[in-house]
Amino acid sequence: MEKPDTVAAGDPEKSGFSSPLSPVYPNDLEVAQAESHLHHIVQDRIDDPNIDPQIIDKAEEALEVGDKKAEVLLGDELEEDSPYIEVRAAVSNVDDPDMPVNTIRAWLLGLIAVIVPPGVNQLLSLRFPSTTITAYVIIIFVYPIGKFLEKVLPTWKLKTRFGDLTLNPGPFNIKEHSLISIMSLMSSQSAYATYIPAVQRFVYNQNPGVGYGILITLSTQLLGLSFACFMRRFLVYPASMIYPVNLPKATLLNSLHGWDTSAGTHKGMSRYKFFWIFFAIVFCWQFFPGYIFTMLSQGNWFCLIAPDNVPLNQVFGASSLGLLPLTLDWQTISYAQDPLASPWWAEANMLGGFALFFLVVVPAMYYTNTWNQKFLPMFSSATFDRFGNKYDVTKVTQTIANGGFVFSPEGYNSYSQQYIPTALAVSYWLSFAATTGVVTHVALFHGKSIWRQFRTPIHAEMDVHTRLMLRYKETPYWCYFALFAAAFGMGIAAIYNWFTDMPWWAFVIAILFGAFFILPIGVVLALSNQEVGLNMISELVIGYMLPGRPIAMMIFKTTMYMVCYQGLQFVSDQKLAHYMKVPPRSVFAAQVFATSVGAIVQILVQEWAFNNIQDVCTDAAQHSNKFTCASMYVFGTASKVWGLIGPRAMFDAGKQYNHLLYGFLIGALAPIPVWFLSKRFPKSIWRLINMPVIFTATGNIPPATGMMYTAVGVWGFVFQFLIKRYRSVWWTKYNYILSAALNGGSTIATVVIFFALQFPKGPNREFYNSGWWGNTAWQNTADANNTPYWQVPEGGFEGTPAELGRTI
């Protein structure tokens, strides 16, 4: 495939930068610059678990010997390409600044990408079981459509004062494709805030209307972007912020458009051919675990030995510990994280955390009946009452005149306290520990480099990609400030023009909390692919700050969580644009456009579904169209548990789960000894121990289960450790494109299976549900039924809060 002329980072005539060819006799300035660069690499080794130890050894050797020529040669090598083999394998180190980006064709396809997939995903989110059209699906489908438009659109030009306009500026190029991909990444997921008006309608008997939903959704979605400008210096420009999640996407885009990467040009099959072969294989294979033989997906083979043996099912089952992950479904394997994208050191930390907390602590607590947990399932995201049933919040609430609810202490004291399953209790503790641990860890391990980045100009320490991006204008700060003002105004308008019981100062606190965590969580995310979630801490804060206000709780939680999560999503996508050399101003416009249109589409589709689908969000839907809104009701139950009953019922002094709050203290202290040991032994394994990753990597448990982490460990060990170490040439060329093929092929097949075979009523659906042994055997086990170890005695396993002396 012929490419347009490209500009390498070191081209002295075209780029304005010094030549990459080191002189035989380097001058003093070049030596000083090289030594400064190498000193930073050596000093920052404990900050950067992804750096190649061989590079550090070469830098130390050159500095110790005082070999100026070797110093300059190594410095030039590091300047002309990324020092990270992962980035060299996935990202091209050349650019074509004349390649068109903001074409009519790109924005037309982008508009389709931010209307159709978000609308379909929002509709499917109301159904259980469901599926999702991911960004990989859009990236793959856009490519042939773009190539088709390249052939059929007219090439005539219209001259305007702003330049020439044309429907067809030439070949459908990688920057257009990248811009469309970024739009799809910003809008494909269902917006978290859409749950708020849905819960108010179906749980609290309020109907705030479309305007409220649009305002609250746009506000929470866009607030994060307004903080992204302040994070670019720390989370986008530095070469060390690699964002492993973006590498398969970058590899896919480069491969589809025939762009080479410096570490991926070895002999053998082209990446383009490799991708389509494995895409086809995975697409066809997915029909077996996804429809024909679903036992291949569940993988609880050992449970069939004794289907009613609860301990056996809990140890080897798909819904519990999943000790032997015999699943062959890539959708299940990659549910928690992509094992071919995350670095091995992060996956090893994840496995260490899983082994310690879920293979040791959870069974120890469960089988010793700590907090009566033998009467509950080992793994579940629900809370239970003293009868072993899911907690019935209607028994502890009273309906008031406006149709809302208030907490009833009398009802609570005579009914039951809340009991949480073992895995959920441990997950709470880990969430608390991760929240404080990430702040301490980043302050100790990355504080010096962050302070240096804050004080020094951006141009001081640049890798090739940052240097290439200097030719493009940055988005002015006033754009971000204007966006913040607009998003903040929409949030205030929503909470004061509709009944929310949310004071303005609580809204401000939610924003400040979320913004505070963007940097520390972003650093860990960029290095490890692991993000510390703020769900639990946000519920805890608002539960104590404004007890008895469930709607305020939902808005506070969503705002605090989304300011951080969505802000980091914006930053991550800006890093992808950084890799693909898409101008920052185009990226900003695309992100605002995609987020705004996608959010409006999702609210409108949701409102249409509520008004037009029969039995939507009711129990009757389970037997008709399955639009039961299960996720919405989980969100609504959380609003009652944390907003009405409040955390004081579980975590106040003297309450059963009070000791879980020690997670905050232990999390804050845990990184300190690791940091001291890594400073004392800088070349040891201690520099790879990351306590926030250990605490948060298993954060999806529950609803995720042990199998989804042990499977990641197996695949990660094979590809990210064994193959990367012993077959590095193959790994650099094919690892990330294989990841893209696995994700794309399995996801598209899952979408086809859902719409063609599972969704329509008829024999195909019946075969999927109960067609033969391979689709039913796994369902007839204690594992599938989430059976607890002990049966609850008549009258409950404990007394009421009044009888236990735990009243509110």
Side-chain angles (χ1 to χ4, degrees):
M1 182 180 298
E2 184 178 355
K3 295 183 296 186
D5 293 337
T6 56
V7 178
D11 191 320
E13 295 181 1
K14 296 183 180 180
S15 68
F17 302 109
S18 61
S19 171
L21 300 176
S22 178
V24 177
Y25 302 103
N27 59 49
D28 292 340
L29 178 60
E30 290 171 323
V31 173
Q33 291 174 339
E35 288 183 346
S36 175
H37 193 181
L38 297 183
H39 275 299
H40 284 319
I41 288 178
V42 173
Q43 293 170 1
D44 293 346
R45 84 170 80 219
I46 66 167
D47 300 347
D48 194 349
N50 293 311
I51 194 71
D52 188 346
Q54 293 182 355
I55 291 178
I56 296 177
D57 293 340
K58 289 181 181 179
E60 284 185 326
E61 182 180 354
L63 292 171
E64 289 174 2
V65 175
D67 187 340
K68 296 182 179 180
K69 185 176 180 179
E71 292 172 358
V72 173
L73 282 170
L74 182 57
D76 286 343
E77 181 183 341
L78 296 176
E79 285 183 0
E80 296 314 313
D81 209 339
S82 173
Y84 303 91
I85 186 173
E86 296 87 353
V87 178
R88 295 199 301 273
V91 183
S92 175
N93 64 338
V94 296
D95 180 33
D96 178 9
D98 298 321
M99 185 179 289
V101 180
N102 290 301
T103 65
I104 296 175
R105 177 174 60 197
W107 283 92
L108 173 63
L109 292 177
L111 179 63
I112 296 172
V114 301
I115 291 178
V116 178
V120 173
N121 284 341
Q122 186 64 30
L123 182 64
L124 294 179
S125 71
L126 304 176
R127 194 177 187 275
F128 183 84
S130 184
T131 190
T132 301
I133 300 174
T134 68
Y136 276 105
V137 176
I138 301 169
I139 291 173
I140 293 169
F141 269 98
V142 161
Y143 177 71
I145 297 173
K147 300 302 287 184
F148 174 76
L149 294 179
E150 166 193 319
K151 302 295 184 184
V152 301
L153 288 178
T155 57
W156 50 261
K157 295 181 179 180
L158 175 65
K159 295 187 179 294
T160 70
R161 59 180 296 185
F162 303 105
D164 294 342
L165 291 179
T166 177
L167 294 176
N168 192 345
F172 179 62
N173 66 65
I174 192 171
K175 292 192 180 184
E176 291 178 286
H177 200 172
S178 299
L179 191 70
I180 299 166
S181 303
I182 289 168
M183 293 188 203
S184 69
L185 286 166
M186 296 313 308
S187 60
S188 60
Q189 295 183 1
S190 178
Y192 202 44
T194 58
Y195 285 135
I196 297 175
V199 169
Q200 288 183 246
R201 178 169 182 160
F202 288 99
V203 177
Y204 296 107
N205 302 315
Q206 301 171 357
N207 188 3
V210 174
Y212 170 81
I214 290 176
L215 286 176
I216 201 69
T217 304
L218 283 176
S219 176
T220 55
Q221 291 287 98
L222 293 173
L223 279 169
L225 178 54
S226 63
F227 289 98
C229 64
F230 302 107
M231 297 296 110
R232 288 176 60 82
R233 174 186 289 267
F234 310 106
L235 298 178
V236 176
Y237 301 141
S240 58
M241 303 290 108
I242 65 174
Y243 290 90
V245 69
N246 285 328
L247 300 181
K249 300 184 185 76
T251 305
L252 177 58
L253 288 166
N254 279 312
S255 300
L256 290 175
H257 293 272
W259 283 70
D260 294 327
T261 60
S262 60
T265 56
H266 307 291
K267 294 181 179 179
M269 185 188 302
S270 70
R271 281 177 170 171
Y272 183 88
K273 184 177 180 181
F274 183 94
F275 170 78
W276 287 114
I277 289 175
F278 276 88
F279 173 87
I281 293 172
V282 174
F283 177 86
C284 295
W285 168 254
Q286 187 61 30
F287 280 81
F288 287 91
Y291 179 75
I292 298 172
F293 191 1
T294 55
M295 185 71 186
L296 295 172
S297 176
Q298 295 300 315
N300 58 350
W301 302 88
F302 286 95
C303 299
L304 302 184
I305 298 172
D308 298 323
N309 187 307
V310 174
L312 175 71
N313 280 254
Q314 289 175 334
V315 172
F316 296 106
S319 63
S320 294
L321 296 175
L323 198 54
L324 294 178
L326 301 179
T327 176
L328 298 176
D329 181 354
W330 186 254
Q331 291 287 291
T332 300
I333 293 168
S334 61
Y335 178 86
Q337 62 177 283
D338 184 349
L340 273 64
S342 299
W344 169 245
W345 69 265
E347 293 174 340
N349 276 271
M350 176 205 71
L351 284 176
F354 175 77
L356 174 61
F357 294 109
F358 290 94
L359 296 184
V360 176
V361 175
V362 165
M365 291 178 62
Y366 189 83
Y367 291 116
T368 57
N369 199 32
T370 304
W371 297 326
N372 295 290
Q373 287 168 339
K374 276 189 176 181
F375 296 105
L376 311 176
M378 182 182 286
F379 279 65
S380 175
S381 57
T383 58
F384 295 83
D385 61 19
R386 62 193 182 94
F387 304 102
N389 302 316
K390 290 186 178 180
Y391 200 84
D392 187 354
V393 292
T394 62
K395 294 184 178 181
V396 298
T397 56
Q398 292 179 335
T399 305
I400 56 179
N402 65 358
F405 294 84
V406 294
F407 175 59
S408 170
E410 297 79 10
Y412 175 86
N413 294 333
S414 61
Y415 168 46
S416 175
Q417 71 174 52
Q418 299 173 84
Y419 295 89
I420 53 180
T422 313
L424 185 59
V426 172
S427 184
Y428 279 2
W429 187 92
L430 290 172
S431 178
F432 299 154
T435 304
T436 51
V438 70
V439 176
T440 304
H441 174 88
V442 171
L444 292 175
F445 282 85
H446 305 279
K448 184 187 295 185
S449 60
I450 290 174
W451 179 243
R452 187 175 70 240
Q453 292 159 10
F454 179 77
R455 293 172 54 206
T456 58
I458 298 172
H459 310 73
E461 297 178 41
M462 295 186 298
D463 72 338
V464 59
H465 305 293
T466 300
R467 198 159 64 251
L468 286 171
M469 289 298 289
L470 287 177
R471 65 179 66 251
Y472 303 109
K473 293 182 179 180
E474 279 289 349
T475 304
Y477 279 101
W478 68 261
C479 293
Y480 290 95
F481 285 117
L483 183 65
F484 173 82
F488 182 80
M490 286 186 285
I492 291 294
I495 65 177
Y496 274 101
N497 285 284
W498 285 268
F499 175 78
T500 62
D501 219 11
M502 176 88 166
W504 67 266
W505 55 265
F507 186 59
V508 172
I509 290 175
I511 295 172
L512 293 176
F513 263 108
F516 170 78
F517 281 101
I518 291 178
L519 181 56
I521 293 177
V523 169
V524 174
L525 173 66
L527 296 175
S528 68
N529 238 11
Q530 297 296 335
E531 182 175 358
V532 176
L534 298 180
N535 302 57
M536 285 302 307
I537 183 63
S538 63
E539 292 171 335
L540 193 70
V541 170
I542 188 62
Y544 274 112
M545 191 167 66
L546 293 174
R549 303 191 191 187
I551 299 173
M553 174 267 170
M554 292 190 293
I555 297 175
F556 184 96
K557 170 187 174 180
T558 303
T559 302
M560 178 175 166
Y561 174 71
M562 291 304 292
V563 164
C564 184
Y565 174 83
Q566 192 76 349
L568 289 176
Q569 182 65 55
F570 284 126
V571 172
S572 175
D573 292 343
Q574 287 178 2
K575 186 68 175 190
L576 177 61
H578 189 82
Y579 283 149
M580 307 313 297
K581 314 303 180 294
V582 181
R585 293 188 176 188
S586 300
V587 176
F588 176 81
Q591 289 183 316
V592 174
F593 171 77
T595 304
S596 302
V597 175
I600 294 172
V601 167
Q602 289 170 355
I603 286 292
L604 293 178
V605 168
Q606 179 173 274
E607 190 68 16
W608 176 89
F610 290 163
N611 293 324
N612 292 276
I613 296 179
Q614 184 179 3
D615 300 326
V616 67
C617 299
T618 65
D619 292 337
Q622 179 63 36
H623 306 289
S624 56
N625 50 45
K626 296 188 182 297
F627 282 96
T628 58
C629 308
S631 297
M632 181 270 289
Y633 276 108
V634 170
F635 191 86
T637 300
S639 74
K640 290 183 178 181
V641 170
W642 294 93
L644 279 176
I645 303 173
R648 65 188 188 278
M650 289 196 295
F651 298 115
D652 270 2
K655 296 299 188 290
Q656 184 158 280
Y657 301 106
N658 172 259
H659 288 83
L660 293 178
L661 296 180
Y662 283 103
F664 288 113
L665 176 62
I666 296 174
L669 298 176
I672 298 175
V674 177
W675 180 74
F676 273 116
L677 289 168
S678 63
K679 293 287 286 185
R680 178 67 179 84
F681 306 103
K683 295 185 178 182
S684 69
I685 197 174
W686 287 107
R687 76 181 187 90
L688 301 178
I689 304 298
N690 190 303
M691 296 309 298
V693 172
I694 290 174
F695 292 143
T696 200
T698 53
N700 285 327
I701 297 178
T705 62
M707 180 182 67
M708 296 169 182
Y709 290 89
T710 49
V712 167
V714 171
W715 282 74
F717 179 74
V718 171
F719 281 89
Q720 297 292 69
F721 181 76
L722 292 179
I723 295 179
K724 183 178 181 182
R725 171 170 289 191
Y726 299 108
R727 293 292 184 270
S728 59
V729 173
W730 188 95
W731 185 92
T732 55
K733 186 168 186 176
Y734 296 122
N735 178 72
Y736 290 121
I737 199 65
L738 177 60
S739 172
L742 289 168
N743 285 296
S746 62
T747 303
I748 292 177
T750 301
V751 172
V752 172
I753 291 168
F754 179 82
F755 282 107
L757 302 174
Q758 296 177 10
F759 183 75
K761 295 181 180 179
N764 289 330
R765 182 194 287 186
E766 294 303 318
F767 174 82
Y768 171 75
N769 292 327
S770 57
W772 71 296
W773 175 89
N775 286 357
T776 60
W778 63 268
Q779 302 177 35
N780 303 317
T781 61
D783 168 58
N785 296 320
N786 222 356
T787 306
Y789 189 49
W790 282 353
Q791 296 300 310
V792 179
E794 187 176 354
F797 52 76
E798 268 197 341
T800 65
E803 295 169 343
L804 297 172
R806 298 173 185 164
T807 58
I808 293 182

